[in-house]
Amino acid sequence: MLVTTELRTEPIRVSSYRCDAGPDAQPFTEMHVDYSVSYVRKGSFGYRTRGNAYELVAGSVLVGCPGDEYICTHDHHVCGDECLAFHLSPGFVDLIGGDQRTWRTGGLPPLPELMVLGELAQVATEGQTDVGLDELGMWFASRFVEVVSGRAKPAPQSAAPRDRRRAVDAALWIDAHSRDEIGLEGAASEAGLSPFHFLRLFSQALGVTPHQYLVRSRLRHAARLLADDDRPVTDVAFEVGFADLSNFVRTFHRAAGVSPRGFRQAARGDRKIFQDRLAALLNDDRLIHSSSRKSSPCTTTSD
């Protein structure tokens, strides 16, 4: 496991994790030492905690609660996995809220409200935006609490190991071909299943339908292009697989809470988009004073 500390401040620490463990790696028990929300950037892996099992693919979120034990597995690991983790101080968690149930969510399927922010944060780690990584991390974490607090707790995934593997393989295939026109029948055929069986298996294993995952993959790719590319919004929409610009704008706005154009401006340092969302946090007495936040990246370690 290669761990890179991207940023460290009092309320939040941001780390990149790159795992190259394969199916032969022996799983072992670990323990969360702090609150954390980790955005899965690439690949897939299994996550087991508190008796529940989750299959995490690109766009999913792993939630950590202090003192909880967990195991990561790589039964169908073929290309490595990468995560961007936001480790949160107890004071910051107290500030953004969320009860014990929220912080014991375990794993979340790819959700559009979090995927676009996760991609923007990843761009920030690569130095391709003027937006502060600490600000994006706080936005991501507070958005996570908003989303989870407003939805029913996701049902634990109970699919058999073989079915989970087939669902994850299908998700990787959909993500790799998301710019193409993909229907349920075509994806099911690729997986070697009937459409109905495929729909049921995929939804049960990953918590989203194949079509939902397809749209969210397109949004994730769009967020990345908007953040680090100059092509027009219309071209971005068509490039990632949307056939209609108005549908893309509407879908992206619903996911990010801001238009594609506004999202691009934010990625390029227009801080106005953050003011409403973060002003209360940054001015709160329980949070470290903004003037004492470190702005420079930090140390790099590996183990």
Side-chain angles (χ1 to χ4, degrees):
M1 174 75 77
L2 177 65
V3 184
T4 302
T5 303
E6 306 286 355
L7 179 80
R8 185 191 298 272
T9 66
E10 184 171 319
I12 188 168
R13 173 171 56 88
V14 185
S15 297
S16 294
Y17 293 82
R18 177 175 297 177
C19 177
D20 58 2
D24 296 333
Q26 186 65 34
F28 59 92
T29 301
E30 301 175 76
M31 179 181 291
H32 291 290
V33 298
D34 51 23
Y35 294 98
S36 63
V37 282
S38 301
Y39 176 68
V40 181
R41 277 276 302 126
K42 181 180 178 183
S44 69
F45 59 96
Y47 177 58
R48 314 279 185 264
T49 185
R50 300 183 68 80
N52 297 320
Y54 306 86
E55 297 301 328
L56 304 181
V57 295
S60 300
V61 175
L62 184 157
V63 184
C65 185
D68 281 359
E69 294 184 341
Y70 68 97
I71 295 175
C72 289
T73 62
H74 306 83
D75 298 339
H76 36 255
H77 185 112
V78 293
C79 60
D81 58 78
E82 297 177 13
C83 294
L84 185 63
F86 305 99
H87 299 274
L88 313 171
S89 70
F92 181 68
V93 170
D94 184 48
L95 183 64
I96 62 176
D99 54 17
Q100 196 77 334
R101 183 184 177 202
T102 298
W103 292 102
R104 284 185 166 154
T105 297
L108 285 176
L111 299 177
E113 301 93 332
L114 297 175
M115 292 173 73
V116 292
L117 296 181
E119 287 302 312
L120 186 55
Q122 182 61 31
V123 171
T125 66
E126 298 168 2
Q128 299 180 41
T129 174
D130 293 331
V131 179
L133 184 56
D134 53 350
E135 292 177 336
L136 283 169
M138 292 177 195
W139 188 7
F140 187 93
S142 61
R143 188 70 165 141
F144 155 75
V145 172
E146 291 174 1
V147 170
V148 173
S149 299
R151 72 197 303 263
K153 182 177 175 62
Q157 298 156 4
S158 57
R162 179 171 177 271
D163 287 341
R164 293 203 305 269
R165 183 167 58 252
R166 297 175 84 168
V168 170
D169 289 344
L172 294 174
W173 181 84
I174 290 174
D175 188 59
H177 297 83
S178 60
R179 68 178 58 182
D180 301 329
E181 189 63 36
I182 299 175
L184 176 62
E185 190 171 349
S189 176
E190 186 69 25
L193 299 169
S194 70
F196 176 73
H197 188 195
F198 175 68
L199 173 62
R200 187 178 60 177
L201 181 154
F202 194 98
S203 303
Q204 186 178 28
L206 300 182
V208 293
T209 67
H211 181 70
Q212 286 175 319
Y213 186 70
L214 172 63
V215 173
R216 294 168 192 188
S217 291
R218 289 171 174 169
L219 288 174
R220 186 166 61 84
H221 294 307
R224 189 55 186 260
L225 288 177
L226 289 168
D228 62 10
D229 195 285
D230 291 327
R231 71 188 74 183
V233 171
T234 301
D235 290 356
V236 170
F238 295 151
E239 171 66 23
V240 301
F242 282 87
D244 179 76
L245 177 61
S246 60
N247 181 38
F248 168 66
V249 172
R250 185 172 56 253
T251 304
F252 192 93
H253 194 293
R254 188 166 55 239
V258 64
S259 69
R261 194 176 305 280
F263 183 84
R264 168 171 278 168
Q265 291 171 344
R268 297 181 178 178
D270 183 349
R271 308 179 75 81
K272 187 177 185 305
I273 188 174
F274 297 105
Q275 291 174 352
D276 292 342
R277 297 176 180 273
L278 296 178
L281 297 179
L282 296 176
N283 293 328
D284 195 289
D285 291 339
R286 289 171 293 177
L287 192 63
I288 184 173
H289 193 276
S290 57
S291 62
S292 62
R293 285 185 293 126
K294 299 176 183 176
S295 58
S296 60
C298 28
T299 54
T300 299
T301 59
S302 63
D303 58 18

